[in-house]
Amino acid sequence: MKPALIAAAVLAAISWGLWLLLPWLLKRRGVVARRTRFGLALVFDSSDADGTPVRLLSVNGVYQSICYTAPDLLWEPVCAYHRAFADVLAGSNLHRALVIGGGGYSFPKYLVAHTRRLLVDVVEIDPAITELARDHFYLDELIAGFCGADDDPVEVPCDIEGVVSVEQDGRLRLVEGDGWGYLTAQEAGLYECIVNDAFSGKRPLGPMETGEGARRVREHLAPDGFYLANVRSALEGRHAGPLRECTEAFGSTFSHLYLVPDKPETPEKVGYNAFVATDRELDCSRFGGRRLK
């Protein structure tokens, strides 16, 4: 056998051996690894800039969620754009909210824990992600504490294209299916708040950046309701396309648009920006935002 072929065989064997050892090595370092629809998911503990313990979810190399692990902080938002969402909604009289994209269920947990009698529907397309949220991001603890621990979950009939199952657990309804399909179905009903926190790779939920997406949101939003979106975009320059698209699409449908920028000091860098569309006049100073329309 030629030396080059022998070297290639040895390298292949080493690579295969390392791949087989990877789960064991990750577990030894306190990392949970699980296969999901969109790639390998990793769950691991770290700390924020202030040294507060946090837990992170990364899927296929992209951070999807983060939460605090201290018992007194479990339901508080860690991400800046989630905190901006919370500030925008402060004092609002919410009865029903829809969150598209579960991930670690960070913002749904905040809504359920901090708003009495609020019913929250969460649409997550990947059941493996929801299981990770149950096992490692305190979703089951939230349900036990706020959603009626004495009641068994109820399977809810739902004939919506792209939706696999719907499970009602007290004030939280877990929908396994496609967020766009759920939103465009007439059965979805009206919400005072619709949150788009779903994205695949580096882009938000595709159709939601279009005029059709804006119109569908408006159809299912109560008068003076809020549409909140995590828009991963630069504020200026060649990487600002997603923000420009959202502004154009929702500006033709809603009276007011607001933005809480992630990186205002470096506008050409991509950040996670809190985008707000509503027909309600808001005081930007209350949530640190700027008016887009």
Side-chain angles (χ1 to χ4, degrees):
M1 184 178 292
K2 295 182 178 181
L5 293 177
I6 295 174
V10 170
L11 288 174
I14 292 173
S15 299
W16 180 248
L18 290 174
W19 178 254
L20 292 177
L21 285 173
L22 182 60
W24 179 80
L25 292 171
L26 290 173
K27 187 175 182 181
R28 289 265 298 181
R29 299 183 68 88
V31 178
V32 175
R34 191 172 299 179
R35 288 290 174 186
T36 72
R37 177 171 178 168
F38 297 102
L40 182 65
L42 301 178
V43 177
F44 54 95
D45 291 342
S46 184
S47 58
D48 65 8
D50 297 325
T52 306
V54 295
R55 180 164 296 163
L56 297 101
L57 170 65
S58 172
V59 179
N60 205 26
V62 178
Y63 287 111
Q64 297 273 0
S65 195
I66 183 172
C67 76
Y68 291 116
T69 57
D72 59 333
L73 295 175
L74 291 182
W75 322 127
E76 302 303 319
V78 182
C79 294
Y81 74 88
H82 281 161
R83 293 197 297 270
F85 288 173
D87 289 341
V88 170
L89 297 177
S92 300
N93 186 25
L94 302 181
H95 299 93
R96 288 191 72 199
L98 170 65
V99 180
I100 299 174
Y105 285 71
S106 297
F107 200 64
K109 288 185 296 187
Y110 170 83
L111 289 173
V112 170
H114 289 272
T115 310
R116 295 181 59 189
R117 296 183 295 275
L118 174 63
L119 302 178
V120 181
D121 294 346
V122 185
V123 185
E124 169 57 55
I125 197 170
D126 192 341
I129 294 294
T130 297
E131 286 303 309
L132 282 172
R134 288 184 178 277
D135 295 342
H136 301 286
F137 288 86
Y138 308 101
L139 179 57
D140 280 346
E141 287 83 349
L142 175 90
I143 292 171
F146 295 93
C147 298
D150 297 331
D151 300 325
D152 292 329
V154 177
E155 291 290 334
V156 180
C158 187
D159 186 19
I160 295 177
E161 184 178 355
V163 171
V164 178
S165 66
V166 181
E167 182 180 288
Q168 182 76 38
D169 212 330
R171 295 194 292 121
L172 188 64
R173 195 161 74 146
L174 307 180
V175 181
E176 179 191 336
D178 174 67
W180 176 246
Y182 183 82
L183 180 67
T184 56
Q186 292 300 318
E187 293 90 336
L190 286 179
Y191 297 90
E192 286 87 14
C193 177
I194 295 176
V195 180
N196 175 16
D197 202 8
F199 58 94
S200 175
K202 297 181 178 181
R203 295 298 298 266
L205 192 64
M208 302 287 276
E209 290 183 342
T210 67
E212 174 65 15
R215 288 188 292 273
R216 291 292 188 176
V217 167
R218 191 67 193 85
E219 288 175 4
H220 291 288
L221 203 59
D224 289 337
F226 300 91
Y227 171 71
L228 308 174
N230 162 27
V231 179
R232 190 178 189 274
S233 173
L235 304 178
E236 301 174 4
R238 63 191 184 94
H239 298 299
L243 180 57
R244 287 194 296 268
E245 292 170 13
C246 284
T247 301
E248 180 179 351
F250 284 85
S252 63
T253 307
F254 288 86
S255 302
H256 304 287
L257 303 180
Y258 304 91
L259 186 76
V260 183
D262 182 25
K263 299 178 179 179
E265 69 286 352
T266 52
E268 294 189 353
K269 289 189 176 181
V270 174
Y272 294 91
N273 306 285
F275 179 86
V276 184
T278 180
D279 288 329
R280 182 186 303 194
E281 181 83 23
L282 300 179
D283 179 7
C284 290
S285 63
R286 184 171 58 80
F287 52 88
R290 62 178 63 167
R291 182 185 296 275
L292 297 178
K293 177 189 176 184

